Amino acid sequence: MNHEGRLILVSNRLPVSVVRSSNGVEIQQSSGGLVSALLPLLKSSGGCWIGWPGADYDAEIESELQRESSAEFHLQPVFLSQSEKQYFYDGCCNEILWPLFHDLQSRCNFDPLYWSSYLEVNETFADAVERSARRNDFIWVHDYHLMLLADCLRSRGVRSRMAYFHHIPFPPPDVFEKLPWRAEILRGLLRFSTLGFQTERDRRNFFACLRRCLSGVQIKKIGARFLVSVEGRHTEAATFPISIDYERLACDSVSPEILAEADQIRRDFSDRKLVLGVDRLDYTKGIPERLIAFRTLLEQRPELRGQVALVQVTVPSREQIPKYQECKIAVERLVSEINGAFGGPGWAPVTYIHRSVPYNRLLALYRAAHVALVTPLKDGMNLVAKEFCAARSDEQGVLVLSEFAGAAVELRRGALLVNPYDFEGVASALHEALRMPEFQQRIRMQAMRRMVQGSDVYRWCKNCCGQALFRDQFQVAAQSA
Ligand code: ADQ
């Protein structure tokens, strides 16, 4: 990075997992595009990554994290108490903000204790940032767990540049205004120097919420960016769709081992057409709705029985939260109902895998699938859709994609877009996908791969940081516009 300060990354979770074995504590770096894009940046600028390590306080974890840190950057843990995990993380983050921001306000539990804990934990993170940051550092905060962090830091006199990236959707005002602490959240966000959103829809929703809930808001457009001014303070806002490490996925997915594993998967399913779903087990991902759509397909098209198999891979997530437990039960019930109603010797319509699958297995599944069924009820972006395209250097395979996923903006030319609530619509798109001729698959897949390749996670990172770094010039331009 060509500026004088270091990078301070802050997210709810550190990019590591803590594994305990008989040999003691081991720290493993998380995989995934975000971590691979951010770590080189952190190494080149120096600085630190601050977040919860996902485990209770333990001196051994602290010292292992210190050992993992290098001369260039370090990992700084913020430990959460049992009640903070319950009220801040499970409560405010996952029973209020997560459902509300995904337009599912009826699933919210607006408990004021949750909000108090949100304020406290944002202060705790601010303590950690204050201890680490120097004046010229660039502080980059990730996601909805820490929307008040800039406010906490500014109140303590921290003047550093601070950017925030919102990984999930931003809801429209009619939904957002249900939040009892709506003005606090909006004012808190405006204490950042720069705000990044996944899509134009999210940025527009944010602006509409500002206009609805705060007075005296002025917004100026300058090029592709916007300057929001309230009470004499200025914040820049723009859209930066997140992406994946395209080259790595594209390259790894043609290794002989992956291709052989993909062939084996196809054989395991007796060369039936494979439809693939890969998600965290989260009610926003629309898994029960997807299963109902698949059942509708089997009801309406008896000729497909025995010819097609749905492989649904779900990684367990937030299992202590009641709405997630309900979702898991609904998925398990539907899988067993569909298999009971349509399956028979040698054919189970749905294969349900309830665990995280290793990276190589995931690539092999992407390669083996005829159709990727990505049908969230709402999603900030959805990286599975982009990973599927990156893995398909054979230019085959069809993406059936929810129009409510952020990824639909970039992939709309190649994907079959569906409304996940419209079971018959999804069933008929799935039918079209299963019958699509190879040449059409190729044209669509080429368009999507070009799109993902041209805007990978490295470019996303550069755009987000570049915007923050040039903030001063941008504001000068804004004043004179
Ligand atoms: P998520 O909702 O977690 O993230 P999503 O974009 O769907 O994100 O990505 C999930 C990741 O987990 C993918 O890389 C996928 O390969 C992996 N994964 C999912 N199921 C798996 C399984 N069973 N086994 C192994 N790996 C699995 C949030 C927002 C999204 C946004 C991302 C990034 O909700 O909208 O795209 O952040 O900003």
Side-chain angles (χ1 to χ4, degrees):
M1 275 165 84
N2 60 351
H3 71 120
E4 64 280 23
R6 304 166 312 152
L7 175 63
I8 309 289
L9 281 167
V10 197
S11 58
N12 177 54
R13 281 297 299 268
L14 277 177
V16 295
S17 47
V18 176
V19 180
R20 287 174 202 278
S21 68
S22 49
N23 299 331
V25 163
E26 199 192 318
I27 303 292
Q28 290 176 354
Q29 189 187 305
S30 311
S31 53
L34 188 63
V35 176
S36 6
L38 292 177
L39 280 183
L41 194 67
L42 197 54
K43 284 178 185 162
S44 71
S45 67
C48 72
W49 195 321
I50 297 170
W52 178 47
D56 290 342
Y57 176 76
D58 180 328
E60 205 183 341
I61 295 177
E62 209 165 30
S63 66
E64 273 305 305
L65 283 169
Q66 232 154 37
R67 273 180 2 106
E68 285 291 310
S69 303
S70 63
E72 302 113 14
F73 77 96
H74 67 278
L75 299 169
Q76 190 176 321
V78 174
F79 288 99
L80 300 180
S81 67
Q82 284 304 328
S83 75
E84 284 168 341
K85 272 190 286 178
Q86 187 183 345
Y87 292 113
F88 159 76
Y89 183 66
D90 294 349
C92 194
C93 296
N94 290 325
E95 285 193 59
I96 300 179
L97 299 172
W98 178 266
L100 188 80
F101 281 57
H102 287 83
D103 297 352
L104 298 167
Q105 64 267 39
S106 62
R107 294 183 192 229
C108 292
N109 175 6
F110 293 109
D111 186 334
L113 283 176
Y114 292 174
W115 176 248
S116 314
S117 186
Y118 190 80
L119 297 172
E120 280 167 24
V121 172
N122 273 254
E123 291 288 355
T124 307
F125 271 79
D127 294 340
V129 175
E130 209 182 3
R131 275 199 300 276
S132 297
R134 303 181 199 141
R135 195 179 189 302
N136 289 328
D137 289 346
F138 168 45
I139 300 167
W140 191 9
V141 179
H142 287 264
D143 230 357
Y144 64 104
H145 316 86
L146 298 169
M147 289 188 282
L148 299 181
L149 190 54
D151 195 23
C152 301
L153 288 165
R154 299 280 185 229
S155 311
R156 298 160 185 224
V158 177
R159 307 248 60 84
S160 311
R161 285 158 296 178
M162 292 182 211
Y164 168 84
F165 187 76
H166 194 72
H167 288 258
I168 63 174
F170 207 96
D174 285 350
V175 174
F176 182 76
E177 68 182 354
K178 310 275 176 358
L179 183 67
W181 311 283
R182 58 200 183 190
E184 286 90 330
I185 289 286
L186 293 175
R187 285 205 194 93
L189 285 171
L190 291 175
R191 304 298 305 264
F192 285 97
S193 328
T194 305
L195 298 172
F197 297 95
Q198 297 271 30
T199 65
E200 280 295 284
R201 175 201 63 196
D202 299 315
R203 184 200 50 74
R204 273 197 303 271
N205 282 345
F206 173 66
F207 285 180
C209 292
L210 286 177
R211 291 192 177 103
R212 173 85 62 95
C213 303
L214 300 182
S215 52
V217 176
Q218 288 189 332
I219 298 170
K220 274 186 200 167
K221 184 170 192 302
I222 300 161
R225 310 167 191 183
F226 293 81
L227 191 74
V228 181
S229 307
V230 186
E231 295 162 4
R233 294 201 186 105
H234 308 288
T235 301
E236 174 186 0
T239 298
F240 306 107
I242 200 167
S243 195
I244 56 166
D245 187 346
Y246 175 90
E247 294 301 338
R248 178 174 175 230
L249 259 99
C251 179
D252 291 349
S253 63
V254 290
S255 74
E257 302 80 59
I258 302 287
L259 295 180
E261 196 170 340
D263 282 346
Q264 185 58 49
I265 293 172
R266 287 205 178 109
R267 279 197 297 277
D268 290 345
F269 284 89
S270 311
D271 289 319
R272 292 188 173 96
K273 294 218 161 176
L274 285 192
V275 178
L276 177 67
V278 176
D279 314 79
R280 274 188 311 103
L281 183 39
D282 191 301
Y283 51 79
T284 63
K285 301 291 179 183
I287 305 167
E289 292 78 2
R290 182 182 311 164
L291 288 164
I292 295 171
F294 186 65
R295 184 177 66 195
T296 307
L297 177 77
L298 296 178
E299 280 163 1
Q300 293 180 343
R301 307 273 171 188
E303 72 278 11
L304 285 178
R305 297 179 196 168
Q307 305 301 312
V308 59
L310 170 62
V311 179
Q312 177 61 53
V313 189
T314 57
V315 61
S317 181
R318 305 174 192 172
E319 288 177 295
Q320 62 291 357
I321 298 171
K323 294 283 186 233
Y324 286 75
Q325 293 160 3
E326 286 166 25
C327 180
K328 180 167 180 275
I329 292 168
V331 168
E332 287 167 354
R333 184 175 299 142
L334 278 161
V335 169
S336 104
E337 277 172 18
I338 296 169
N339 284 342
F342 300 99
W347 177 59
V350 185
T351 299
Y352 175 55
I353 301 167
H354 182 52
R355 58 181 178 274
S356 176
V357 297
Y359 173 71
N360 281 0
R361 183 74 178 166
L362 192 60
L363 291 189
L365 283 164
Y366 287 147
R367 291 291 301 206
H370 288 86
V371 181
L373 197 48
V374 181
T375 53
L377 305 181
K378 188 103 188 217
D379 217 332
M381 180 54 58
N382 196 294
L383 297 179
V384 169
K386 293 187 173 184
E387 290 167 359
F388 175 64
C389 299
R392 297 312 294 255
S393 53
D394 58 347
E395 297 173 346
Q396 292 299 292
V398 184
L399 176 63
V400 176
L401 178 61
S402 163
E403 56 194 8
F404 307 131
V409 177
E410 292 165 282
L411 302 179
R412 61 185 329 121
R413 287 240 187 111
L416 297 181
L417 292 190
V418 292
N419 170 358
Y421 294 97
D422 173 8
F423 308 133
E424 296 201 333
V426 175
S428 91
L430 192 46
H431 188 228
E432 184 185 343
L434 289 166
R435 289 184 316 159
M436 189 178 284
E438 284 189 7
F439 79 93
Q440 247 188 55
Q441 295 185 38
R442 190 173 305 285
I443 293 168
R444 287 173 174 273
M445 188 51 83
Q446 279 173 350
M448 294 191 289
R449 284 171 59 81
R450 264 199 306 275
M451 175 55 84
V452 183
Q453 183 176 26
S455 54
D456 67 1
V457 74
Y458 296 98
R459 180 176 282 227
W460 169 80
C461 215
K462 203 167 148 226
N463 289 344
C464 291
C465 290
Q467 182 110 345
L469 295 177
F470 296 118
R471 173 180 160 259
D472 296 342
Q473 290 93 312
F474 174 65
Q475 288 206 353
V476 169
Q479 309 297 344
S480 53

